[in-house]
Amino acid sequence: MAFTLATWNINSVRLREALVMRLMTEDAPDVLCLQECKSPVDKIPFEAFQALGYTHMVARGQKGYNGVAIFSKIPMVEAGAEDFAALGHARHIAGRLENGVTVHNFYVPAGGDIADREVNEKFGQKLDFLAEMRDYFRGAKTEKSILVGDLNIAPREDDVWDHKKLLKVVSHTPIEVEKLAEVQEAAAWVDITRQDMPEGRVYSWWSYRSADWDAADKGRRLDHVWATPDISNAAHSSHIRRETRGWEGPSDHAPVFATFDL
């Protein structure tokens, strides 16, 4: 069974309902994971997505903040939702597909502007969230699983437009990269995007503050697709739909895709 999965920080699923529907129509991934939905679950425009073939949804939502959802053409049931770091935020949802694959959809806290937990509570929350993600997967028997989402960390030097300039900028600091590596090691997750695109600069986010975002290309790879080793070799065709960043009224993130043959 082959299926294509995409992950996208949509920055309000209701505000950008038309963009989600455009992606569902033009690219038609079998599974679409959204983050930062900024909507209670009952206000997500599920009926519109159902009409396009996305007949299954699992989600956690909040009014105006956070929120994660998985939409699937493949039969899917909820497989859990954790409140990491006890923040009371809707930042994780898991769905199990009929082929036995569990998809974990995450929206890791951004962490604020100062990379110091002593003066920035949000940065401390981000580190705590990552530590609990690590412990969760260390304690779980994680097999036949995919982890996706806006992890709000660009780990590699070529995941950012300028490694040296961003070393002290939240999302690329050494402590964040270290904590994300611990999460990855906890279940031996394989970075599918980099498995398929091992070399070169790869970005999935460009700031709204940059009017000439495309020409300047000061991006970061904050959005990820990982898989457990038992299915990582079945993954291929990873790509980032950069064009969506130029759509009218866009999210500042672009969708990341991968296909799995299982």
Side-chain angles (χ1 to χ4, degrees):
M1 175 184 176
F3 68 96
T4 297
L5 174 147
T7 178
W8 194 8
N9 178 317
I10 193 59
N11 192 12
S12 179
V13 67
R14 288 188 283 172
L15 182 64
R16 296 186 171 83
E17 175 184 349
L19 300 190
V20 175
M21 294 178 70
R22 180 175 174 180
L23 190 85
M24 287 175 165
T25 301
E26 294 184 3
D27 297 81
D30 298 290
V31 180
L32 177 58
C33 300
L34 299 181
Q35 304 86 38
E36 204 171 355
C37 295
K38 295 183 176 179
S39 173
V41 173
D42 63 354
K43 300 293 185 182
I44 292 172
F46 183 40
E47 289 185 3
F49 303 155
Q50 279 182 308
L52 297 177
Y54 293 84
T55 51
H56 301 269
M57 177 184 77
V58 295
R60 287 293 184 274
Q62 285 179 261
K63 183 179 180 180
Y65 297 94
N66 308 312
V68 284
I70 306 174
F71 303 95
S72 180
K73 296 180 176 182
I74 305 166
M76 174 184 62
V77 296
E78 185 174 317
E82 299 293 328
D83 180 15
F84 293 97
L87 298 176
H89 296 175
R91 293 185 177 274
H92 171 254
I93 188 70
R96 184 169 295 110
L97 304 176
E98 67 173 358
N99 59 10
V101 172
T102 299
V103 179
H104 291 273
N105 183 17
F106 278 95
Y107 177 39
V108 172
D113 296 325
I114 303 171
D116 183 347
R117 69 179 306 150
E118 297 303 318
V119 296
N120 176 15
E121 180 183 21
K122 290 182 178 179
F123 192 71
Q125 290 174 346
K126 182 176 190 175
L127 298 183
D128 292 344
F129 191 100
L130 292 164
E132 292 199 14
M133 282 179 68
R134 174 200 64 203
D135 294 345
Y136 175 82
F137 287 113
R138 279 180 178 171
K141 187 177 181 181
T142 309
E143 298 175 336
K144 206 173 181 182
S145 297
I146 301 169
L147 186 156
V148 306
D150 177 5
L151 304 186
N152 263 312
I153 298 171
R156 291 176 30 154
E157 291 187 16
D158 52 2
D159 286 339
V160 295
W161 65 275
D162 191 314
H163 168 61
K164 290 184 178 179
K165 288 183 179 178
L166 270 68
L167 274 173
K168 294 183 179 180
V169 175
V170 174
S171 78
H172 191 60
T173 65
I175 184 65
E176 292 171 274
V177 172
E178 176 187 333
K179 295 303 179 185
L180 187 67
E182 291 177 359
V183 176
Q184 190 171 356
E185 291 163 6
W189 295 104
V190 177
D191 184 340
I192 298 302
T193 307
R194 281 306 191 177
Q195 176 178 270
D196 290 346
M197 297 185 284
E199 304 297 333
R201 291 182 176 177
V202 178
Y203 310 142
S204 65
W205 174 90
W206 297 263
S207 175
Y208 283 132
R209 297 173 185 174
S210 179
D212 61 342
W213 71 272
D214 194 25
D217 204 24
K218 293 183 176 181
R220 306 178 203 174
R221 186 173 72 104
L222 303 180
D223 305 272
H224 300 263
V225 177
W226 296 354
T228 48
D230 53 346
I231 62 171
S232 61
N233 288 336
H236 61 90
S237 302
S238 293
H239 64 282
I240 295 174
R241 185 78 146 83
R242 180 187 175 107
E243 297 84 355
T244 66
R245 182 61 180 82
W247 289 355
E248 185 176 354
S251 169
D252 47 358
H253 294 252
V256 181
F257 287 75
T259 296
F260 291 80
D261 287 320
L262 296 172

